[in-house]
Amino acid sequence: MTLLEGVAWEGKVFKGGAWIDGGGGTYAVVEPATGNELGTMGQADAEDVAEAGSSAAQAQKEWAALPHTARAAVLRRAGDLWAEHADEIRDWNVREVGAIPPMADFALHVAAEECYQAASLPGQPIGQVLPSEQPRLSMARQLPAGVVAVISPFNVPIILGIRSVAPALALGNAVLLKPDPRTAVTGGTVLARIFEEAGLPAGVLQMLPGGKDVGEAMVADPHVRVISFTGSTAVGRSIGELAGRHLKRAHLELGGNSALLILDDADVEKAVGLTGWASFLNQGQICMTTGRYFVADGIYDDFVDQLAAKADHLPVGDPATEQVALGPIIDERSRDKIHGLVTGSVDQGARLAAGGEYDRLFYRPTVLAEVPLTSPVFTEEVFGPVAPVTRVSSLEEAVRLASESDYGLSLGIVTRDVMRGLALAEQIPTGIVHINDQTVNDEANAPFGGIGASGLGRLGGATANIEAFTETRWITMRGEPASYPF
């Protein structure tokens, strides 16, 4: 039996352990490469959120009370299911998201690893014994936060959903998941079905697709104690403000405009070899995408020529029917934003070395050279297949320009002198650094997150996940009641 066939998920939300009609009606799931309708999704409303929050709070208590081995077993089984249903999930991911098959396979690999890593969390130490100046036993204990709201984006919906869902569940929480409506099958329905098949008790994970009203209802719901949001910086600011008003923790994984420094001793051919993954993977629709290249003056022209040639030869098309390097942009609004940033930068003096054209939602990989520092592609997150390249004459200039950004997510440095690269990285504020690699990397056991406009908090790895999804309680115990002067 397949994961989705034979299950009445179409036009439904997953609430209270059942596939039921949502208060927000239904809408079509559209394939961006063709415009064809792939199916229908249910949509939740604020009333659904209230009901889900209440039932999740009840289910969470029983889930958290299970032996840690029982929770670990569910997570391990979930990890196995990603592989067992890989062909079906890959097909949906390619068609619904526009991902090329290797990108879909990467997402499936990471999803399984996230579940396996999370399966180790229930068996981690849950506290510390503390010294005390009083005659008592003093302890700090980690307890589940309760109900966690996970709001995930369209671009890599499997990874950016499971990254929060798996550890939150493993640590004894219940989860309300709101996937982006554009990719709610692979970002929501698939996750709900995986855990349903893995034996997760009813009500512990509930999946509620919807728009802004559903997201705001989740943040405000009194049962929700932690919010994990991945998306744009603009929306993240709103989520953070609303969470602050309700005195809730918000983990915000937001946008980026990551820099890749190509130093004067770099092998140009090898540096250009990094660029396909850095700027064109998933059509550039990744928060870690390299958005600014800073290339040493002595190798600049050679680098631009080779990068433009590479971009010109990358095939673009429907990843479901053709062997391509880039699929479609998610929708017309996103495509038009990308094109506006490109043309606006050319108007300001940037040289179009490759690309800058599109057919329907298929945007050609684009290289811009001699990019003015005030141009839109330099100052803003493009979120498309665009590589802006800036010439630098010294290491000091490279550090200064790379640091002049509100964002601080990922950084790459290419050099034959790795210690020099590490020393430079110490001067550029980011949450992630890769020496002799590009900026797009992801491993389930590594802490992930940025600084500044790129977000708050870290997810990934035992330490960061435990901090994200638990509360710390101080506990003391005495053999006899204490006595006080009055």
Side-chain angles (χ1 to χ4, degrees):
M1 181 178 175
T2 67
L3 189 68
L4 298 183
E5 290 181 8
V7 179
W9 62 269
E10 285 211 51
K12 308 292 184 182
V13 303
F14 190 61
K15 188 173 73 172
W19 296 96
I20 63 175
D21 293 332
T26 63
Y27 65 94
V29 179
V30 177
E31 183 178 24
T34 64
N36 294 336
E37 184 175 322
L38 299 176
T40 60
M41 277 297 301
Q43 191 160 233
D45 61 11
E47 184 176 341
D48 288 317
V49 174
E51 293 172 355
S54 178
S55 61
Q58 292 300 314
Q60 184 270 328
K61 295 175 183 177
E62 297 180 9
W63 170 241
L66 290 176
H68 69 90
T69 50
R71 282 186 275 124
V74 171
L75 270 297
R76 285 195 298 272
R77 177 61 181 146
D80 293 341
L81 287 168
W82 289 106
E84 290 180 23
H85 296 288
D87 291 344
E88 180 186 8
I89 299 171
R90 181 191 306 110
D91 182 64
W92 267 103
N93 195 240
V94 168
R95 300 187 67 192
E96 182 190 37
V97 181
I100 61 173
M103 179 64 188
D105 287 336
F106 177 69
L108 287 164
H109 166 73
V110 173
E113 287 301 314
E114 289 285 356
C115 290
Y116 294 141
Q117 287 288 329
S120 71
L121 294 177
Q124 292 286 324
I126 59 173
Q128 297 175 305
V129 176
L130 307 173
S132 177
E133 61 185 19
Q134 299 293 323
R136 61 190 177 191
L137 179 62
S138 180
M139 300 178 291
R141 183 183 178 190
Q142 304 300 131
L143 300 172
V147 179
V148 174
V150 176
I151 303 174
S152 61
F154 77 85
N155 56 321
V156 195
I158 291 175
I159 294 177
L160 300 179
I162 198 68
R163 172 184 288 161
S164 296
V165 169
L169 292 175
L171 290 165
N173 300 286
V175 173
L176 304 184
L177 171 62
K178 190 195 90 67
D180 188 295
R182 290 170 288 185
T183 55
V185 177
T186 46
T189 300
V190 165
L191 270 72
R193 286 288 297 127
I194 286 284
F195 282 101
E196 188 179 21
E197 287 294 296
L200 187 71
V204 178
L205 173 62
Q206 308 196 40
M207 194 275 298
L208 306 172
K212 179 180 178 181
D213 60 326
V214 174
E216 290 180 345
M218 281 188 177
V219 176
D221 188 271
H223 300 98
V224 171
R225 298 309 312 155
V226 174
I227 300 97
S228 180
F229 170 81
T230 305
S232 72
T233 297
V235 176
R237 291 185 192 276
S238 298
I239 295 286
E241 289 173 2
L242 184 59
R245 286 203 297 273
H246 290 275
L247 298 179
K248 299 180 182 182
R249 278 189 290 151
H251 297 277
L252 307 175
E253 202 279 280
L254 309 179
N257 193 8
S258 296
L260 184 60
L261 278 59
I262 315 294
L263 304 191
D264 54 5
D265 64 344
D267 182 307
V268 174
E269 185 177 352
K270 289 181 179 179
V272 171
L274 300 173
T275 59
W277 200 262
S279 289
F280 306 139
L281 178 68
N282 205 42
Q283 300 74 261
Q285 298 172 129
I286 301 175
C287 59
M288 296 172 284
T289 291
T290 300
R292 296 173 299 152
Y293 289 82
F294 298 102
V295 182
D297 183 70
I299 60 173
Y300 181 86
D301 293 332
D302 191 14
F303 179 86
V304 170
D305 289 346
Q306 290 193 40
L307 176 54
K310 180 185 183 76
D312 282 338
H313 285 87
L314 290 175
V316 181
D318 184 349
T321 60
E322 307 170 64
Q323 188 171 350
V324 297
L326 287 82
I329 302 299
I330 190 66
D331 56 26
E332 290 184 358
R333 179 180 176 184
S334 297
R335 180 206 64 199
D336 292 346
K337 177 188 175 186
I338 294 165
H339 195 58
L341 294 173
V342 170
T343 56
S345 297
V346 171
D347 289 344
Q348 288 193 19
R351 175 170 65 88
L352 187 63
E357 300 175 336
Y358 64 85
D359 175 18
R360 294 171 292 162
L361 296 182
F362 301 106
Y363 204 94
R364 288 293 313 169
T366 297
V367 179
L368 293 171
E370 311 300 343
V371 177
L373 303 184
T374 57
S375 63
V377 295
F378 186 88
T379 60
E380 300 181 36
E381 181 183 33
V382 178
F383 220 65
V386 180
V389 191
T390 299
R391 186 192 307 266
V392 292
S393 58
S394 66
L395 293 179
E396 291 75 19
E397 183 183 17
V399 168
R400 176 175 60 81
L401 293 178
S403 302
E404 288 179 353
S405 175
D406 292 336
Y407 298 102
L409 184 51
S410 190
L411 170 69
I413 299 176
V414 183
T415 176
R416 298 178 194 269
D417 185 346
V418 295
M419 297 309 295
R420 180 171 68 153
L422 185 59
L424 284 179
E426 296 294 320
Q427 303 174 56
I428 302 170
T430 61
I432 302 166
V433 176
H434 302 292
I435 309 298
N436 283 328
D437 204 348
Q438 46 74 49
T439 56
V440 182
N441 279 274
D442 198 358
E443 292 189 12
N445 67 333
F448 184 96
I451 63 175
S454 291
L456 300 170
R458 296 290 182 274
L459 297 175
T463 300
N465 283 334
I466 290 171
E467 181 178 347
F469 299 118
T470 64
E471 301 285 4
T472 303
R473 170 181 282 179
W474 182 35
I475 304 170
T476 70
M477 294 186 292
R478 292 174 178 262
E480 296 290 337
S483 65
Y484 294 93
F486 56 90

